[in-house]
């Protein structure tokens, strides 16, 4: 207990020096040769920026899949020359059901439907109902996998869209099953980004059912979609998607040569170009709707087959909206709508204020604790203060090593750790005092003091650690950051007090062999 | 200052008879806690944005705030603010809006649109800037609240389990009962001071719980040690002795934590509410270690602990 091997001493000192080395990058602007380049990230509350929590609309994923399934059902039956009545989808139950044209076709229907392609194995089951109908049920498991995939895909598209805005150092992370966190340092007004992310940008090309114009019930397989320019007007559009926006390879904003209006030019990949050419060739003279997020942007009449794979959308754009639409088309459509459910944005001046306030608090708090320890514990108090400084250095070092984010609550955590960190030293010192008061020799008092205090120190720190693990597990954002700094703080505190400050005390004793301890 | 201690917190070898005043201490604590619970029921906590949902926009105006002008700018954007008030400096203004109810269609999108409208309103004021704009949807706030309460509950259980495991059940139960008393008083303090109850406050409360437990563990540790050392000493006397022996440490550590948190309360800007609650909690936690946790241990363990202590574990 009173003996410190050279190796142990060397390791303790080495850890402290390593800590100093790891802290260094935080004081530098540019990477320096020979210094590990790992800095603490400043949280949005300290440097200004925006935090958006977005939720993927899972209902729409189910509804979309059901719509495609209903489409597929229709197609599969028609291909086999079978008929159907009343195809309905039920998003809640996740089913598509219909009634066969004739009870005798039932087995043929079942066979045709079971042969439909599945995206994932076991995606749906086809069953006959007691009343003679047929029901196709999506398996919940397959839907979950699909949803998870949709979130992954959404993250990719969100990243592409945000990168296109030129945001610096954006962080996009998944949270839970259906949420995405977007952090944008330096963007203190996220209005534009919110608008970009709030658009699904699903572009599809459908034929217009001209015969149904003006009718309130356009018939099966045709929907009345509102016009983008005037939501009160609708146009009957065939549900079947002729060409999909996912076949686009490029899109850009440009000024239309003839009208002088802003337009968005786009080009298809070879599959898209082929489909586009076929559709236009077969439907010359008919109207063709460009649908964006279930709104008809434009419905021009097809004059000739468009074979080059290029197209143009016009329709009341200005420079910004044309650029945005081009950006969205390039980045691709979101598999489901995203909605912002939490937004926090901090202006840069408030961040600077917070850093100043935090730094002042840390400095003043540190000074007060140092003064207190020096006044009440003398020499051993200074050893505790040395350990305290090392503690601060090590905390910063560990935060840098993991490139953790420091927020204002994190700074509060560091401050509290400083207050708590000397506790172990106080426990040791008080124990030694007691042993001295009982008339033990200096050596025996130190030995007994260390020994007895250690179990108390471990117990009290373990309970504090427990409380903060809970805080970390159940907290979010800033609270987690606070808990994390304290958890790191508890570990560094144990190291600096049980090893470093004790080492200083023991070395001092070994050097001077005092008969009276300065406690 | 460099070698011998200059000051001493507690004179050497105090023999204060804390247990004599145990009923006064318990009664005072109970009264304060009951009062706090009544305050919690009425008027209740001021829920912060995290738990209530809604929109808070902090702005800094050019020169002292002109509230009529701000209201007019908001009205021009068709925004019906629930509150426009100053906070801190005279040029700092807080604009507060309630979120559309969770059952309203598109409530999330409408909440977001409202924030943008408030931003536009602020942008129309000459020289004004938005310092911070937060919007929390109704579904998120309910979730955050549930998680916050869950964190509090689970921590109490974990602390109970840990002390039970390391000590005996009497210690664990008295510690957790004391923590609940501390917790209720802190909530009472929050009601009285009108500090907003949000996630950061949950963090403050959990820190207080952790700190307070820490404090109790140190006293209990000494009680346990003394139980083995003085086999025949009556428990009341033994607990008194243990408190006296650890008094210097208890006060010393509380003081350093207090001193560390004090600057944050004074200069910590947006965290000053958090720090004030911490300071309150430190005082409550320290006093409850002495006046509540120990007497409870005496009540619970009067017969059992003495009997069990004989064969030292």
């Amino acid at each position: 207990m009173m003996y410190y091997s050279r190796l142990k001493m060397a390791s303790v000192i080495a850890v402290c020096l390593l800590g100093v080395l790891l802290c260094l990058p935080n004081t530098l602007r540019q990477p320096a040769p020979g210094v590990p380049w790992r800095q603490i990230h400043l949280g949005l509350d300290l440097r200004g920026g925006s935090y958006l929590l977005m939720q993927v609309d899972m209902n729409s994923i189910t509804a979309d899949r059901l719509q495609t399934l209903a489409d597929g059902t229709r197609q599969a039956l028609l291909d086999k020359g079978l008929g159907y009545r009343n195809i309905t989808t039920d998003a809640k139950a996740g089913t598509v059901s219909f009634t066969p044209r004739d009870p005798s076709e039932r087995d043929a229907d079942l066979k045709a439907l079971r042969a439909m392609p599945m995206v994932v194995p076991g995606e749906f089951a086809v069953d006959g109902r007691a009343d003679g109908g047929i029901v196709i049920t999506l398996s919940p498991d397959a839907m979950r996998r699909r949803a998870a995939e949709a979130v992954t895909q959404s993250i990719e598209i969100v990243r592409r869209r945000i990168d296109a805005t030129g945001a610096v150092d954006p962080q996009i992370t998944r949270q839970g099953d259906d949420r995405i966190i977007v952090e944008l340092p330096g963007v203190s007004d996220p209005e534009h980004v919110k608008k970009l992310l709030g658009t699904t940008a699903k572009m599809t090309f459908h034929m217009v059912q001209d015969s149904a114009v003006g009718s309130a019930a356009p018939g099966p397989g045709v929907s009345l979609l509102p016009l983008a320019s005037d939501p009160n007007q609708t146009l009957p559009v065939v549900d079947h998607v002729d060409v999909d926006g996912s076949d686009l390879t490029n899109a850009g904003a440009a000024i239309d040569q003839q009208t002088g209006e802003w337009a968005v030019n786009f080009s298809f990949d070879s599959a898209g170009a082929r489909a586009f050419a076929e559709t236009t060739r077969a439907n010359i003279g008919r109207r063709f709707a460009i649908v964006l997020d279930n709104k008809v942007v434009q419905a021009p009449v097809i004059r000739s087959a468009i074979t080059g794979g290029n197209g143009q959308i016009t329709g009341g754009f200005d420079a910004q909206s044309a650029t945005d639409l081009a950006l969205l088309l390039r980045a691709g459509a979101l598999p489901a709508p995203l909605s912002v459910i939490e937004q926090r944005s901090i202006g840069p001046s408030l961040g600077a204020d917070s850093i100043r306030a935090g730094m002042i608090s840390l400095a003043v708090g540190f000074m007060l604790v140092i003064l207190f320890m020096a006044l009440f514990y003398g020499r051993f108090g200074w050893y505790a203060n040395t350990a305290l400084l090392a503690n601060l250095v090590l905390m910063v070092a560990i935060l840098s090593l993991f490139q953790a984010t420091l927020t204002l609550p994190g700074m509060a955590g560091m401050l509290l750790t400083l207050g708590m960190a000397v506790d172990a030293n106080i426990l040791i010192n008080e124990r030694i005092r007691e042993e001295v008061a009982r008339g033990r020799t200096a050596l025996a008092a130190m030995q007994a003091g260390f020994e007895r205090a250690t179990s108390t120190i471990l117990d009290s720190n373990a309970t504090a650690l427990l409380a903060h693990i809970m805080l970390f597990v159940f907290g979010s954002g800033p609270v987690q950051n606070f808990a994390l700094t304290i958890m790191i703080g508890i570990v560094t505190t144990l190291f600096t007090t049980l090893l470093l400050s004790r080492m200083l005390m023991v070395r001092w004793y070994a050097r001077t062999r005092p008969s009276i301890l300065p406690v | 200052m460099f070698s011998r201690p200059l000051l001493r917190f507690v004179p050497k070898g105090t023999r204060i008879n804390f247990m004599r005043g145990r009923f006064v201490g318990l009664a005072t604590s109970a009264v304060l806690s009951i009062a706090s619970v009544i305050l919690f029921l009425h008027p209740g906590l001021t829920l912060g944005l995290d738990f209530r949902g809604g929109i808070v926009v902090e702005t800094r105006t050019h020169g002292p705030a002109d509230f009529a002008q701000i209201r007019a700018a908001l009205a021009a954007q068709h925004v019906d603010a629930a509150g426009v008030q100053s906070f801190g400096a005279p040029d700092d203004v807080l604009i507060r809006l309630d979120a559309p109810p969770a059952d309203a269609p598109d409530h999330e999108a409408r909440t977001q649109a409202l924030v943008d409208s408030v931003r536009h309103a602020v942008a129309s004021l000459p020289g004004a800037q938005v310092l911070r704009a937060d919007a929390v949807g109704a579904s998120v706030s309910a979730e955050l609240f549930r998680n916050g309460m869950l964190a509090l509950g689970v921590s109490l259980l974990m602390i109970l389990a840990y002390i039970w495991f390391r000590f005996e059940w009497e210690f664990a139960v008295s510690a957790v009962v004391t923590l609940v008393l501390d917790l209720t008083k802190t909530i009472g303090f929050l009601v009285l001071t009108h500090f907003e109850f949000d996630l950061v406050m949950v963090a403050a409360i959990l820190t207080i719980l952790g700190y307070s437990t820490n404090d109790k563990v140190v006293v209990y540790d000494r009680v346990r040690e003394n139980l083995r050392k003085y086999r025949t000493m009556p428990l009341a006397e033994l607990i008194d002795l243990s408190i006296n022996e650890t008094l210097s440490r208890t006060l010393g550590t509380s003081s350093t934590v207090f001193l560390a948190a004090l600057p944050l309360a004074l200069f910590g800007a947006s965290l000053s509410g958090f720090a004030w609650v911490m300071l309150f909690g430190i005082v409550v936690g320290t006093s409850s270690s002495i006046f509540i946790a120990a007497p409870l241990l005496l009540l619970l363990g009067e017969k059992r602990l003495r009997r069990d202590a004989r064969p030292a574990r």
Side-chain angles (χ1 to χ4, degrees):
Chain A
M1 198 49 87
M2 294 301 292
Y3 174 72
Y4 253 75
S5 73
R6 278 180 192 282
L7 184 68
K8 199 168 165 191
M9 257 173 64
S11 352
V12 171
I13 293 171
V15 168
C16 294
L17 290 180
L18 185 68
V20 173
L21 191 68
L22 284 169
C23 285
L24 276 182
N26 292 301
T27 60
L28 303 174
R29 290 269 151 91
Q30 297 281 318
V35 180
W37 189 245
R38 282 171 169 267
Q39 276 183 321
I40 294 183
H41 284 286
L42 285 185
L44 293 179
D45 56 349
L46 296 180
R47 65 164 152 172
S50 296
Y51 165 100
L52 300 173
L53 178 63
M54 323 207 45
Q55 182 141 22
V56 178
D57 183 359
M58 289 300 171
N59 292 333
S60 118
I61 293 177
T62 315
D64 257 18
R65 181 62 192 130
L66 286 174
Q67 186 60 48
T68 328
L69 199 57
D71 248 20
T73 303
R74 237 174 246 130
Q75 204 60 47
L77 295 174
L78 287 176
D79 285 352
K80 294 266 185 254
L82 299 163
Y84 54 84
R85 278 183 291 132
N86 308 331
I87 289 200
T88 52
T89 57
D90 181 347
K92 216 170 202 168
T95 57
V96 173
S97 44
F98 71 97
T99 316
R101 180 173 50 191
D102 190 288
S104 64
E105 284 180 357
R106 214 177 119 143
D107 288 337
D109 284 347
L110 288 172
K111 197 170 162 230
L113 295 178
R114 285 186 178 134
M116 275 197 301
M118 296 192 180
V119 180
V120 286
E123 193 188 6
F124 53 80
V126 183
D127 297 294
R129 267 194 325 221
D131 64 355
I134 290 177
V135 61
I136 307 167
T137 316
L138 286 172
S139 96
D141 204 41
M143 275 321 290
R144 256 195 301 280
R145 276 169 66 181
R146 226 186 143 74
E149 221 168 85
V151 176
T152 314
Q153 211 179 331
S154 301
I155 289 176
E156 188 46 47
I157 287 158
V158 164
R159 177 165 296 133
R160 271 191 253 157
R161 288 186 185 179
I162 288 176
D163 284 345
T165 65
V168 181
D169 204 9
Q171 301 266 329
I172 298 151
T173 41
R174 183 189 197 124
Q175 196 205 41
D177 289 337
D178 56 354
R179 289 184 180 167
I180 300 170
I181 294 173
V182 177
E183 285 174 290
L184 302 162
V187 177
S188 53
D189 181 1
E191 190 178 346
H192 185 221
V193 174
K194 271 193 314 189
K195 211 158 134 197
L196 284 182
L197 297 182
T199 312
T200 313
K202 187 171 168 194
M203 187 163 75
T204 46
F205 298 84
H206 309 250
M207 297 317 300
V208 176
Q209 188 82 354
D210 280 307
S211 61
V213 170
S215 93
V222 179
S223 304
L224 287 172
L225 295 185
L227 301 187
S229 53
D230 180 3
N232 293 324
Q233 284 188 48
T234 56
L235 201 64
V237 170
V238 179
D239 285 344
H240 179 74
V241 175
D242 289 296
V243 186
D244 196 306
S246 61
D247 294 329
L248 287 173
T249 53
N250 202 6
I255 291 182
D256 183 31
Q257 300 295 331
Q258 282 145 24
T259 60
E261 269 184 73
W262 277 95
V264 176
N265 293 326
F266 56 85
S267 49
F268 286 109
D269 60 12
S270 56
R274 209 175 313 124
F276 199 58
E278 270 168 33
T279 310
T280 47
R281 190 175 301 122
N283 293 292
I284 289 174
R286 287 182 64 191
R287 280 208 288 167
F288 174 58
I290 302 174
V291 176
L292 184 72
D293 292 341
N294 283 323
K295 288 192 193 95
V296 178
V297 180
Q298 216 185 341
V301 175
I302 302 170
R303 309 226 177 265
S304 60
I306 302 168
T307 50
N310 293 311
Q312 190 183 55
I313 317 172
T314 52
F317 293 119
D318 58 17
Q320 178 75 58
S321 59
T323 315
D324 282 354
L325 180 58
L327 184 161
L328 292 171
L329 292 178
R330 273 199 308 274
L334 287 168
L338 281 179
S339 53
V340 178
I341 53 175
E342 187 182 347
Q343 171 200 336
R344 292 171 194 266
S345 40
I346 292 117
S349 58
L350 189 67
D353 283 359
S354 296
I355 293 185
R356 199 170 329 110
M359 286 295 177
I360 292 176
S361 306
L362 258 172
V364 176
F366 192 70
M367 296 309 291
L368 287 175
V369 173
I370 283 196
L371 197 66
F372 180 93
M373 290 303 286
L375 284 176
F376 285 86
Y377 294 100
R379 174 180 288 276
F380 284 1
W382 281 106
Y383 289 155
N385 287 338
T386 311
L388 194 61
L389 184 66
N391 198 349
L392 192 62
V393 167
L394 287 177
M395 280 179 81
V396 174
I398 292 181
L399 288 170
S400 313
L401 187 68
F402 293 115
Q403 302 191 308
T405 306
L406 184 67
T407 60
L408 197 55
M411 284 175 114
M414 292 176 97
L415 203 59
L416 279 173
T417 305
L418 293 186
M420 292 291 290
V422 293
D423 180 51
N425 284 96
I426 293 180
L427 277 165
I428 294 173
N429 290 343
E430 291 294 338
R431 271 294 187 171
I432 296 177
R433 268 185 195 175
E434 276 178 51
E435 301 299 332
V436 169
R438 285 204 187 116
R440 299 213 184 190
T441 63
L443 181 68
M446 277 182 83
Q447 234 159 357
F450 283 150
E451 213 165 311
R452 297 232 169 115
T454 303
S455 86
T456 314
I457 292 168
L458 290 176
D459 264 340
S460 61
N461 278 292
T463 42
L465 194 61
L466 270 183
H468 290 100
I469 289 175
M470 285 305 110
L471 200 53
F472 187 79
V473 171
F474 292 103
S476 73
V479 175
Q480 275 189 328
N481 199 265
F482 171 78
L484 183 71
T485 40
I486 294 202
M487 278 152 64
I488 293 173
I490 289 173
V491 175
T492 54
T493 298
L494 287 177
F495 174 82
T496 53
T497 50
L498 289 184
L499 292 173
L500 179 66
S501 75
R502 185 184 288 190
M503 181 186 90
L504 293 172
M505 287 158 86
V506 168
R507 289 302 304 158
W508 168 78
Y509 180 84
R511 224 174 37 243
T512 56
R513 299 271 163 196
S515 51
I516 302 166
L517 293 174
V519 289
Chain B
M1 180 155 186
F2 287 98
S3 182
R4 298 213 138 257
L6 290 179
L7 299 171
R8 224 160 237 267
F9 234 82
V10 180
K12 274 183 194 172
T14 48
R15 282 266 172 271
I16 305 168
N17 193 344
F18 290 106
M19 285 306 109
R20 201 170 49 199
R22 65 183 183 273
F23 292 112
V24 181
L26 282 175
T28 315
S29 174
V31 167
L32 285 176
S33 281
I34 290 169
S36 295
V37 170
I38 293 171
L39 282 173
F40 172 70
L41 296 173
H42 186 86
L45 286 165
T46 314
L47 285 188
L49 183 72
D50 294 343
F51 297 153
R52 194 194 55 221
I55 299 160
V56 171
V57 177
E58 276 179 37
T59 59
R60 185 164 289 165
T61 52
H62 187 67
D66 178 353
F67 288 96
Q69 196 190 13
I70 295 169
R71 276 181 221 280
L74 287 170
Q77 293 288 333
H78 308 288
V79 172
D80 183 20
V84 180
Q85 66 193 75
S86 67
F87 74 103
D91 55 350
D92 283 347
V93 182
L94 202 68
I95 302 168
R96 202 188 281 280
L97 275 79
D98 292 328
D103 50 6
D106 283 342
H107 66 276
E108 307 287 13
R110 277 167 59 196
T111 308
Q112 295 306 317
L114 273 173
V115 189
D116 296 334
S117 303
V118 176
R119 278 184 180 279
H120 293 159
V122 173
S124 72
L125 299 168
Q129 52 167 327
V130 173
L131 295 180
R132 174 206 297 273
D134 292 346
V136 178
S139 51
V140 178
S141 60
E143 207 177 288
L144 291 175
F145 188 75
R146 202 170 51 237
N147 282 347
M149 295 304 107
L150 199 62
L152 281 178
V154 174
S155 317
L156 280 175
L157 285 178
M158 297 281 287
I159 290 169
L160 181 80
Y162 181 80
I163 302 181
W164 200 323
F165 173 70
R166 289 288 294 151
F167 294 85
E168 314 254 338
W169 71 265
E170 289 87 351
F171 290 90
V173 172
S174 357
V176 170
V177 170
T178 315
L179 289 181
V180 170
L181 289 169
D182 289 357
L183 181 74
T184 47
K185 288 185 197 71
T186 310
I187 288 172
F189 178 75
L190 279 173
V191 175
L192 286 179
T193 52
H194 294 292
F195 284 132
E196 289 196 349
F197 185 65
D198 55 16
L199 274 178
V200 172
M201 283 304 173
V202 172
I205 290 175
L206 276 167
T207 313
I208 292 171
L209 291 187
Y211 169 76
S212 179
T213 312
N214 194 23
D215 226 37
K216 281 146 195 70
V217 164
V218 171
V219 176
Y220 285 173
D221 205 55
R222 188 58 72 99
V223 170
R224 182 172 58 180
E225 189 185 319
N226 284 339
L227 277 171
R228 291 174 200 159
K229 203 156 140 194
Y230 308 103
R231 298 279 168 95
T232 52
M233 190 187 280
L235 190 58
E237 206 179 303
L238 187 136
I239 291 177
D240 260 340
L241 175 72
S242 309
I243 298 177
N244 275 296
E245 283 177 351
T246 50
L247 193 60
S248 196
R249 174 269 160 194
T250 303
L251 296 179
T253 300
S254 305
S255 310
T256 54
V257 181
F258 194 91
L259 287 177
L262 189 64
L264 198 63
L266 298 176
F267 321 114
S270 55
L271 276 181
S272 89
F274 165 87
W276 282 116
V277 175
M278 281 292 315
L279 293 179
F280 175 82
I282 292 164
V283 174
V284 167
T286 305
S287 52
S288 74
S289 298
I290 299 170
F291 297 108
I292 314 298
L296 277 177
L297 184 64
L298 179 59
L299 287 181
L300 284 175
E302 190 127 42
K303 298 213 175 70
R304 260 209 75 218
L305 283 178
R306 274 284 46 142
R307 197 185 60 221
D308 280 16
R310 222 141 279 155
R313 279 183 3 130

